[in-house]
Structure formats: structure tokens, C-alpha cells
Amino acid sequence: MMHLLSREPEVLNLGLASFADDIISAGATAHQLNWHPPANGDAAAGWQLAKLMGDDRVTEANKIAFDRYLSAQPRLVDVALASDVIDDMATTRLILHAGPPIAFADMCGPMRGAITGAILYEGWAASEEEALALADSGEIRFAPCHHYGAVGPMAGVISPSSPLWQVENVTSGNRAYSNFNEGLGKVLRFGANGPEVIERLRWMRDELFPAMRGAVRHIGGIDLKPIMAQALLMGDEIHNRNAAATGLLFKQLVPALLATDLPTGQVQRSIDFIAGNDHFFLNLSMAASKAMLDAATGVPGSSMVTVMARNGINFGIRLSGTGDQWFQAPANPIDGLFFPGYGIDDAAPDLGDSAITETAGVGGFAMAAAPAIVQFVGGTPADATAHSRRMRTITLGTNPVFSLPALDFAGSAAGIDALAVLDSGTLPVINSGIAHRKAGVGQIGAGITSAPQACFAEAVAALAENLTND
């Protein structure tokens, strides 16, 4: 006691910073603690959280779900048109989109633009006006990619003639799909739908698709986890930076392409397209992440997040323990770097299924591996490292396969725990492209955002109810 009284006091202050400011102004030492109540002060959500924290059923369920995610081995096994592997597309006019369910009338501009382009690409309409009228008529059904085991970046639009990567988790046999990456600029996934966009899509269907199918079948499949792990060591975070991963994939595809009996010109054009698109691996990274996370779904009682996706209006998540149920909140804006002539007022809210990479522990969670990414999305290398460290506080563990050199080769944070998110108030960080809010313009920048807390509060409440009724 005497020791305490003989020293100058140091005060730790919670709550109003003005208390600490007054102490400092009086000449003493005070430290303002960055603390806030669990569930951001929502008493009902805090009570649900308190009931689940330390529940042995949740702990055991999370261990099972996380182990299934860690043991998943995603492998590129084939390439097909969407209508060949999604039965509903063979019998009905169905178009898939990113994020949770949404009606066409409620979609954001880029998603409406991409769907208009997809209708033109399919030949269901001859003009943009006809395509919009058809989309509004109710003759076309729209559904989230996730409802069919698929993922698509930004608008995420997949139509029956879209070529799809087929990725299989060879550990348990579940499959995931993603479309081909078109590159940057005026592309369908950012809502552009001009003649050059449609022409590129048709070339991808008529030339690139058979070339990729021939190469993958010649190789007999490609393990994706080793490519993702190696790319993290080479400066990618495998969401917005895929230069190394694309190069590693390129090394496997080119010899196989040359071994096919396809026309030389077709092979050359396919090689040129991949070589000119550093984001070519992105869609494979997403499909691999989807395959790993789908392996963890459906474990009763688990609070592990298995899906984060955005439709440009709402942000949706799913938990392992609540199955296919969506929990939604308004999507956040993106703080980032804009192309010349554009700013935040031009931007659509957060959009796309690509947050499946963050859900799997890469992307924003692995930004420490990719200091160069800050040149694309903003911030500093120190910010990137801080993001990766902070994400460890809201995950069930780390993925030792996805090691990060900047963190002494520690594994990336993985297995988002909805309970930890709600308890700490730390939100999953996501780095993402930015689409123009108007249909038909395309990409205008890239940046960083976070998942909204409200959907985690809803998810935890639903999980608590499930366990109460169990």
C-alpha cells in the first residue's frame, strides 16, 4: 500500500474520454482505454451472447467445423458450362447473382447492369431495353450463387452459358463453382455491359473455355491449396492481389495447353489472355475457399461463419450451426483509392461474393503477406500487418498452411467466430474492388471495408434459439 501511495498516480479511464482529459490537464497521468460493452451495448444481443459464451456444445461444435475447414483439400477437377452442372439452368431461365437473395427491382446499379449484359450474352434479348424489360417481367428467376454451391466476384452474375471452374474438396467430395475472371476495367462483374463486354464473354465461352477444359483434363486436375500457400509467400493475399498465384497456375496450364490438339491461334490467344490478367486466379481462389468452407457447414451449435457475401444493398452471413439461413444488414461503403475522376459519391456499396476469401482466412485477413496491396486498396504496409493481427482476435484459430512471412510465418487467422465478433466489436476486414453505382460504367477503384455488426447479432440470436430448442 505504501508503495502505491509513494508513486505518482496513473489512471486508467473507461468510457467518456473527458474524464481522462481533465486528469491530464491537471498534470497527472491518465490512459484512455478503447473499450466498449459487448454487442455494442445491445442488451438483448449481449444476453444471447452471454448464454453462448463458454457453452460446451458450442465449443465442441466449433472444433468439428474448424477441423473440417482445415482438412479440406480443394482441387480443380474440370471446367464446364453452368447449364451442364447446375440442373435448374438446363430447364429454366435462371441467373445467379452475388450476395444474399434480392429481387431484380431492388438490385443496385452494377448488378442490374451485369444481369442486363448476361441476358444479351445469352441472346434472350436484342437490346438493352429489351433485356431490362425481360428482367422486370418475372420470366427470369434470380437466385444467389451460394444457393447452388457457386461464388462470383462483384455482381457475381452466372448465366447458363457461363464457363465455370469446378473445384472439389477431395477430403469429403463437396464441389464448388466459380466463373472465369474477365480482367479489370469495363467488365460484366462490375456492371459494364457494352458490346466489347459481350464480345469478350462470347470469346471466353467459344475459345477460352474449351482451351481451359482441355488443359485441366490433360493435367488431370490441379491442387489449389499449395498454389494459394505458395502465393502468400510470394506477396499475394489472394483476393485483390493474385499476381503470384496466377503465375503459378500459368506454369501448369501452358504446357498442358500446348499438349492439346487445339488450333495454334486459339492456344496463343488463351495464353495471351491469362498472361495479361493478374487477377485470373481470383475466381479459383474463391471457389477453393467456398469448397473449404462448405465442408464446415451444418454442424449444429457451431458459431463459425461459413459465408460472407454482399449484393450491393445488403451484407449477408451464414453460420455453420444455422445452415442455409441468411443474416443480413445494410452493406457498408468502401474506403479506398479511386480512379481519376471518381470519388465516394460515385461508388456502389460493398458488393460481391469475393468476401468468401476473407471468410476462409485470406484476402483482408492475410494482408500482412501482401504489402504491395496497399498501393491498390489504400493504407500502409503497417496497416496491412495490423489488419492480419487484429483478425486473430475474432477467429477460432489459424491456418498453418496459409503462413504469413511478415508475422514470422504464423498461420493466417481463420474460422471467424460470430461470438467473438459480437463480444469484441472487432469486425471482419474485407478488401474489395469498387463498382460505379450506375449500371454499365464498371470499376472505379478498390479499397477496404468491414462486415456490419448487426448481422452477427442476428446470427447469434438464431444460434441461441436453436440451442435452446434443441
Side-chain angles (χ1 to χ4, degrees), residues 413-437:
I416 300 169
D417 182 1
L419 300 183
V421 173
L422 199 58
D423 185 39
S424 66
T426 298
L427 300 171
V429 65
I430 297 164
N431 62 37
S432 183
I434 304 174
H436 197 287
R437 62 172 59 250

Side-chain angles (χ1 to χ4, degrees), residues 71-245:
S71 62
Q73 297 293 337
R75 180 176 174 82
L76 173 61
V77 294
D78 205 353
V79 187
L81 295 180
S83 58
D84 292 333
V85 292
I86 297 175
D87 292 342
D88 285 354
M89 283 191 166
T91 55
T92 61
R93 284 184 170 181
L94 168 66
I95 292 179
L96 306 184
H97 61 77
I102 188 168
F104 182 73
D106 299 327
M107 291 178 183
C108 65
M111 188 171 283
R112 289 174 64 91
I115 285 176
T116 301
I119 292 172
L120 294 171
Y121 164 66
E122 292 293 337
W124 296 342
S127 68
E128 186 173 338
E129 291 73 21
E130 286 185 19
L132 281 168
L134 182 59
D136 270 324
S137 70
E139 295 182 26
I140 297 176
R141 190 160 67 88
F142 302 104
C145 293
H146 277 287
H147 290 190
Y148 289 87
V151 281
M154 299 309 291
V157 166
I158 295 173
S159 60
S161 300
S162 300
L164 298 184
W165 301 113
Q166 297 185 68
V167 174
E168 180 173 306
N169 167 25
V170 297
T171 304
S172 59
N174 59 290
R175 286 198 174 190
Y177 310 100
S178 185
N179 47 6
F180 284 7
N181 192 282
E182 313 155 71
L184 295 177
K186 287 187 177 294
V187 290
L188 191 79
R189 73 179 186 276
F190 281 98
N193 53 26
E196 73 275 23
V197 175
I198 307 305
E199 182 180 353
R200 185 188 306 114
L201 291 174
R202 288 174 177 160
W203 174 80
M204 291 172 71
R205 177 195 59 197
D206 297 338
E207 287 210 338
L208 185 64
F209 157 57
M212 294 299 98
R213 183 174 58 183
V216 171
R217 290 181 176 179
H218 178 83
I219 298 170
I222 299 174
D223 289 326
L224 298 177
K225 211 167 181 177
I227 292 179
M228 297 169 74
Q230 183 67 18
L232 289 171
L233 302 177
M234 297 168 67
D236 283 355
E237 41 70 74
I238 338 177
H239 181 172
N240 267 303
R241 193 174 195 279
N242 288 276

Side-chain angles (χ1 to χ4, degrees), residues 335-356:
D335 180 19
L337 300 178
F338 290 88
F339 298 162
Y342 297 105
I344 187 69
D345 292 338
D346 302 307
D350 195 17
L351 173 66
D353 286 336
S354 58
I356 195 70

